[in-house]
Amino acid sequence: MKENEKIIFRLIEQNPYISQQEIADIIGLSRPAVANIISSLVKKKYLLGKAYIVNERNGIVCIGAANVDKKIKTTEKLISYTSNPVTSMASVGGVARNVAENLGRLGNEVSLLSVSGNDAEWARIREMSSPFMNTNSVVTIEGQSTGTYTALLDADGEMYLGLADMSIYDYLTPELLMKQTAILQHASCIIMDLNCPKESIEFICSFSAKNNIKLVLITVSEPKMERLPQNLQAVDCLIVNKGETQAFFNEQYNTKQDLEKAGEKWLSLGVKRVVLTQGSNDLLVMSPNPKWYPIKALNAENIIDVTGAGDSFTAAYIDAWLLDEDDDTCALAGRTNSYHTIQSIQTVRPQLTKNRLLKEMKEY
């Protein structure tokens, strides 16, 4: 056994009913890191029973993409059909994973449910993610590659083109999810992105409704809006942008009144709350009454990378929402986290903590 495994084993041996959070507090690790070590002890047969497991129903399960993100930024104005000088970097990403890390950094107990290849990319994702979430429910698909997402950014840091190799998520099937019902049943909230197959999204909608679990759906792109079910009665919160809304309803929206009508259409499909973003323009929240929130302007020279803007907004909004904060506080939390994330080179800013976010919200 490794040193941390020995310490945790002794603590469980002394008190089989000790909670994972108590262990984390004693040895100075995060709760997800402790969960990963306990899982390792079970796999190695050092732990045979499950007396140590506390029935925790306050965890969040994030289902969807866990990728390696590759960012390529032009140093000058982008010119088509010729060579352009660029800088590049790679980091861990994926909508569900990014949201999970943000939530973990904000102090939530989070589990990631995804699929990966048996490759170096997944090893890197797991290493970087494990301090903030439990990754034991990620299923390895032999013969497949871990997902990758390549973003081409212009000189101002705005995304010019995104390239997604996401075929592995076709394996995130209802059959696979059925084998994970133990973790899903103990969730206080399930968050799912639309990188998952449509039938899997429908399965989670049905599962959440049957088990009275809060459900958040996160859209990821206009082409994948076809994966969204027409019946959204199980969805407590839908986070979607203007372009995706236009694609889903096959309409164009030019005014705030147009967007409010679009919000009413979402609500008519059963969604209890819709959060409609439009980049640097005002944010609309309807639950059911419309509320508009301005986005704080940021000088172009301070914008480093917008890739993580949506995921950081989503996570902070959900964090406040799950604490039963009012609409204004939820919107403020999301906008504040996004505002500071786009000033960071990382998709999830490493400085994020709950106390830091609360302080930043007062200054937003």
Side-chain angles (χ1 to χ4, degrees), residues 271-340:
V271 176
K272 299 174 184 64
R273 171 186 300 259
V274 59
V275 180
L276 204 161
T277 65
Q278 42 176 352
S280 59
N281 294 319
D282 291 358
L283 165 74
L284 171 63
V285 178
M286 294 187 65
S287 62
N289 297 322
K291 288 188 177 182
W292 288 93
Y293 299 96
I295 303 299
K296 186 176 181 179
L298 190 62
N299 293 331
E301 59 267 24
N302 293 327
I303 300 175
I304 297 177
D305 186 357
V306 300
T307 307
D311 300 338
S312 59
F313 169 87
T314 295
Y317 185 96
I318 292 172
D319 176 69
W321 174 64
L322 290 175
L323 292 173
D324 293 324
E325 299 287 0
D326 59 32
D327 288 344
D328 294 351
T329 302
C330 294
L332 177 60
R335 288 177 295 157
T336 302
N337 198 30
S338 180
Y339 176 82
H340 289 280

Side-chain angles (χ1 to χ4, degrees), residues 169-189:
Y169 301 116
D170 293 340
Y171 291 87
L172 202 51
T173 61
E175 291 75 20
L176 184 145
L177 294 173
M178 287 176 191
K179 296 178 181 178
Q180 304 291 332
T181 53
I183 186 174
L184 292 171
Q185 286 174 336
H186 290 89
S188 62
C189 178

Side-chain angles (χ1 to χ4, degrees), residues 48-201:
L48 299 180
K50 296 186 177 181
Y52 66 90
I53 297 177
V54 175
N55 187 9
E56 299 176 9
R57 294 185 176 271
N58 61 342
I60 301 170
V61 176
C62 294
I63 308 174
N67 312 323
V68 170
D69 282 346
K70 300 176 182 179
K71 301 173 186 176
I72 302 172
K73 185 177 181 180
T74 59
T75 56
E76 301 173 4
K77 184 177 179 180
L78 187 65
I79 303 175
S80 301
Y81 303 107
T82 189
S83 176
N84 289 264
V86 301
T87 58
S88 62
M89 66 173 291
S91 61
V92 297
V95 173
R97 198 221 67 88
N98 289 346
V99 171
E101 182 177 340
N102 273 279
L103 287 168
R105 288 182 179 274
L106 290 172
N108 295 278
E109 307 298 335
V110 190
S111 293
L112 177 66
L113 205 171
S114 187
V115 287
S116 74
N118 185 11
D119 48 29
E121 285 75 16
W122 168 241
R124 179 179 184 178
I125 294 170
R126 181 177 55 204
E127 179 183 2
M128 301 298 292
S129 303
S130 293
F132 311 105
M133 68 196 77
N134 188 323
T135 60
N136 292 326
S137 295
V138 176
V139 179
T140 300
I141 308 297
E142 295 295 341
Q144 295 295 314
S145 299
T146 298
T148 60
Y149 178 80
T150 303
L152 176 59
L153 311 176
D154 63 22
D156 295 326
E158 294 287 341
M159 187 172 72
Y160 179 81
L161 181 68
L163 301 171
D165 178 5
M166 305 289 188
S167 60
I168 191 169
Y169 301 116
D170 293 340
Y171 291 87
L172 202 51
T173 61
E175 291 75 20
L176 184 145
L177 294 173
M178 287 176 191
K179 296 178 181 178
Q180 304 291 332
T181 53
I183 186 174
L184 292 171
Q185 286 174 336
H186 290 89
S188 62
C189 178
I190 296 175
I191 301 170
M192 191 174 202
D193 73 38
L194 262 61
N195 286 301
C196 305
K198 183 173 184 176
E199 57 269 23
S200 299
I201 298 169

Side-chain angles (χ1 to χ4, degrees), residues 8 11 13 43 57 66 99 114 139 158 171 201 241-242 256 259-260 267 291 297 303 328 350 355 358:
I8 291 176
L11 289 171
E13 192 175 35
K43 290 177 181 177
R57 294 185 176 271
V99 171
S114 187
V139 179
E158 294 287 341
Y171 291 87
I201 298 169
N241 68 30
K242 175 183 174 181
K256 284 188 172 182
L259 287 172
E260 288 181 10
L267 296 176
K291 288 188 177 182
I303 300 175
D328 294 351
N355 287 337
L358 291 173

